Amino acid sequence: MNAVTQDMMKKFSVNQHVTSFIDGNSVSPSGSGEDIPVISPITEGQISLLREASIDEVDHAVRNARDAFENGPWRHMSVDERKAIMLQIRDVIAANADELAYLESLNAGLTLNYVKGFHVKRAGWNFEFFAEVASQASGEAYTQTQPYLSVVTREPIGVGALIGPWNAPLALCSMKVASCIAFGNTCVLKPSEFTPLSLRRVVELIHETDIPKGVVNLVNGRGHVTGDALVSHPEVDVVSFTGGTKTGAMIAARAGEGLKPVGLELGGKSANIITATADMDRALDGAILGIYSNNGQQCLAGSRILVERSIADELIEKFVARSKKIKVGDPMDGATEIGPVCYRAHMDRVLSFVDIAKNDGGELLTGGSRDSRHETGLYLEPTAVMAKSNDAQVCQEEIFGPFATFLTYDDIDEALAIANASEFGLVGYIWSDHLPTVMKASQEMRAGTIWVNTPMTRELRAPFGGYKKSGIGRDSAKDCLQFFTEEKTTTIPMSTFPLAKWGASD
Ligand code: TXE
């Protein structure tokens, strides 16, 4: 552990027990419930204990959220009053950016600079953005069926169950909370049991603002205990989930039992197509960022890199050389480019794909092991393999680590066929200076977002979400508004026309 980390540890304390936060109060760890160690991937040392919320505790949280929704002031406030509180949340996040970045880096292994410069900012921005969306939302009016005026208004849907993953807890879960409460809903958030620290602090900070109690509640615990109790609770109206595809399918089935709408943002195995007309240097930078950013743990990674055969040797050689020089290390060190992966079982799974690749006829190009320069911590060498074909498991399964898979192709039709031969469809990347090729790729890639000559860029106003097994639904200003509200049509006659008088004559 470097000096920066040690300084940070002295500056910011970590709660010994991470508990739930319900109705504006921290739940005491004195009750019953399982204790689960919270481990830092930097050292693999225990940094806290998570007190798992039991079914009863989840029930308590949901009932408080329900009570705050039905009887509290939140949904009745003017949009401007709610907006003012959302902006207070933005400010309190900004004021505590160092601490939040530290907790996220310590717990999730993400590099401190990246978390502070991107994830924490995004967390604050989410509250501002959705406050603005709510404040600008409008309804509809129809007058075509005379003499009626039919107006369509939107109302909050109720209590949201928000379940988040461990790869970017702050950035992703803040979006769920912000988009849920902006429209007048209340919520219960369940972060991943692997990374509870930053979000527990965010929820505490939210309660330093004027937000009414019970609007934002948090439960901590494992998926099959706390998460399942939350999704299946009868007082939950809507479920928003980001995580693995298998878990997403289970959650959708559970939510389906209660006919609850569900939004799922799941995995990907996205194609990154690099053509011979591309600016090679930019494509190389983009391919490296596309797979290794966020320690390689991101749903939108360009993890299948498809290179046109005529440039493949040169591009792959450069990619490998750069991969060998990437700085893997303590995420709190400002020079680090890739930190540790999040937890041990995940690291083992990522590494298992090296043999899987070889058994499928693939060739290991670089990496493939734990980074031996670190005595402790879950550090992996940036890894790349050349696959024999797109049928190889490393081309079909989401590995979710610093692990790139290369394939070559001869023409754009072949590249697009390979790109689409996947059960996922989250994003697609195309690097080309030839407009017809770009347009063809944009039209034919079966994915929710296409990035042209750029690595990942999220435009919050535009829909983000997946085709096929990458999910159900989209996140955006408009989509979140639709997801977290109910539509209501009210029809009013504009003149008092005569009604038939049934039963009025003798
Ligand atoms: O996540 P899980 P895992 C992918 C990635 C990764 C794989 C598995 O490929 O290797 O998923 O990761 C909660 N009811 N992504 O198993 O299980 C759980 O507690 C309710 C892609 O660690 O999906 C946590 O809060 N909740 C991804 C959340 O689901 C349940 C991000 C995510 O955990 C539950 C993460 C249940 N039955 C992993 N079971 C992305 N889209 O970015 C689990 N949970």
Side-chain angles (χ1 to χ4, degrees):
M1 191 182 299
N2 74 7
V4 185
T5 311
Q6 284 167 3
D7 277 358
M8 296 285 246
M9 283 181 117
K10 277 185 218 139
K11 193 164 164 202
F12 301 115
S13 60
V14 173
N15 283 347
Q16 283 194 321
H17 247 117
V18 193
T19 57
S20 300
F21 200 98
I22 300 173
D23 199 27
N25 296 303
S26 176
V27 173
S28 143
S30 57
S32 63
E34 193 138 345
D35 276 335
I36 296 166
V38 180
I39 307 289
S40 170
I42 303 176
T43 56
E44 276 206 273
Q46 182 176 319
I47 44 176
S48 185
L49 267 183
L50 178 148
R51 173 59 59 89
E52 181 164 73
S54 62
I55 294 177
D56 286 347
E57 198 165 299
V58 173
D59 180 59
H60 179 50
V62 176
R63 287 189 191 285
N64 269 288
R66 168 61 57 194
D67 186 52
F69 179 72
E70 301 291 349
N71 306 314
W74 187 244
R75 80 184 156 110
H76 301 294
M77 279 182 185
S78 73
V79 167
D80 288 337
E81 284 173 301
R82 277 208 303 268
K83 182 174 171 183
I85 294 174
M86 300 277 285
L87 295 182
Q88 289 174 357
I89 298 175
R90 174 202 63 189
D91 293 343
V92 82
I93 288 174
N96 291 275
D98 285 338
E99 181 185 3
L100 293 173
Y102 164 70
L103 292 174
E104 191 82 321
S105 186
L106 178 72
N107 195 181
L110 304 177
T111 57
L112 191 70
N113 284 346
Y114 186 60
V115 174
K116 201 174 160 199
F118 178 61
H119 289 205
V120 178
K121 278 203 178 121
R122 165 89 183 274
W125 165 241
N126 281 330
F127 286 91
E128 179 176 349
F129 178 79
F130 282 104
E132 193 58 32
V133 173
S135 106
Q136 298 295 328
S138 59
E140 293 163 31
Y142 297 94
T143 54
Q144 288 90 334
T145 303
Q146 286 292 327
Y148 297 100
L149 167 68
S150 288
V151 293
V152 182
T153 50
R154 288 191 169 271
E155 296 178 355
I157 191 167
V159 175
L162 314 177
I163 300 186
W166 42 263
N167 60 319
L170 264 178
L172 297 175
C173 289
S174 58
M175 181 159 175
K176 290 192 189 300
V177 173
S179 57
C180 180
I181 68 172
F183 305 109
N185 301 296
T186 63
C187 69
V188 180
L189 168 68
K190 194 205 82 66
S192 166
E193 61 274 30
F194 292 109
T195 53
L197 294 189
S198 59
L199 289 164
R200 178 59 163 75
R201 185 72 185 121
V202 165
V203 172
E204 269 170 28
L205 290 170
I206 286 176
H207 287 85
E208 289 181 6
T209 71
D210 294 326
I211 197 159
K213 289 181 175 182
V215 173
V216 178
N217 304 276
L218 170 134
V219 290
N220 272 307
R222 290 166 296 178
H224 66 283
V225 181
T226 312
D228 187 59
L230 181 56
V231 172
S232 53
H233 196 291
E235 294 293 341
V236 160
D237 297 295
V238 64
V239 179
S240 170
F241 171 75
T242 300
T245 297
K246 280 193 190 134
T247 310
M250 272 191 311
I251 287 177
R254 225 35 183 138
E257 288 167 17
L259 293 179
K260 298 167 190 169
V262 55
L264 303 175
E265 207 261 85
L266 308 176
K269 189 76 203 179
S270 300
N272 182 3
I273 302 177
I274 303 178
T275 69
T277 65
D279 174 335
M280 166 91 76
D281 286 344
R282 278 185 69 77
L284 179 64
D285 291 340
I288 288 170
L289 292 171
I291 183 60
Y292 294 141
S293 298
N294 218 63
N295 303 343
Q297 302 165 147
Q298 45 182 0
C299 53
L300 42 70
S303 50
R304 275 186 305 154
I305 307 176
L306 316 184
V307 194
E308 192 162 345
R309 199 177 305 280
S310 60
I311 57 160
D313 286 349
E314 186 186 347
L315 186 124
I316 292 170
E317 195 182 305
K318 287 181 173 168
F319 185 98
V320 168
R322 291 267 296 271
S323 297
K324 288 186 200 296
K325 284 170 60 187
I326 284 177
K327 295 181 187 71
V328 178
D330 188 325
M332 299 207 201
D333 180 336
T336 295
E337 289 163 328
I338 298 188
V341 294
C342 190
Y343 58 94
R344 180 168 271 265
H346 180 57
M347 179 188 76
D348 293 342
R349 180 175 177 275
V350 172
L351 284 175
S352 74
F353 279 96
V354 175
D355 283 339
I356 291 174
K358 289 180 187 163
N359 292 338
D360 269 347
E363 178 197 350
L364 180 64
L365 300 168
T366 185
S369 305
R370 283 184 84 163
D371 192 317
S372 57
R373 289 167 297 181
H374 302 276
E375 279 171 22
T376 56
L378 304 175
Y379 297 97
L380 294 184
E381 295 171 341
T383 297
V385 299
M386 172 60 81
K388 199 169 171 197
S389 90
N390 189 50
D391 296 333
Q393 223 175 314
V394 284
C395 292
Q396 291 299 322
E397 281 187 35
E398 184 177 51
I399 299 175
F400 218 62
F403 194 118
T405 303
F406 280 95
L407 285 167
T408 53
Y409 67 88
D410 287 308
D411 62 41
I412 190 65
D413 290 323
E414 185 188 357
L416 293 171
I418 295 172
N420 289 336
S422 167
E423 63 179 18
F424 296 109
L426 192 57
V427 305
Y429 301 72
I430 172 81
W431 296 85
S432 168
D433 279 354
H434 183 242
L435 189 59
T437 302
V438 168
M439 296 314 297
K440 185 168 192 171
S442 148
Q443 284 166 39
E444 292 189 12
M445 267 201 265
R446 293 190 44 75
T449 296
I450 307 296
W451 281 307
V452 180
N453 296 333
T454 179
M456 325 71 56
T457 309
R458 273 294 293 276
E459 168 53 86
L460 283 192
R461 295 160 191 87
F464 182 83
Y467 283 33
K468 302 189 264 185
K469 290 193 180 163
S470 288
I472 297 178
R474 298 287 185 270
D475 281 333
S476 73
K478 197 175 73 197
D479 292 287
C480 290
L481 170 70
Q482 275 167 2
F483 185 68
F484 283 115
T485 57
E486 290 278 19
E487 268 182 327
K488 178 177 279 180
T489 302
T490 303
T491 297
I492 314 159
M494 293 186 285
S495 63
T496 46
F497 60 91
L499 295 176
K501 293 192 173 297
W502 285 14
S505 54
D506 297 330

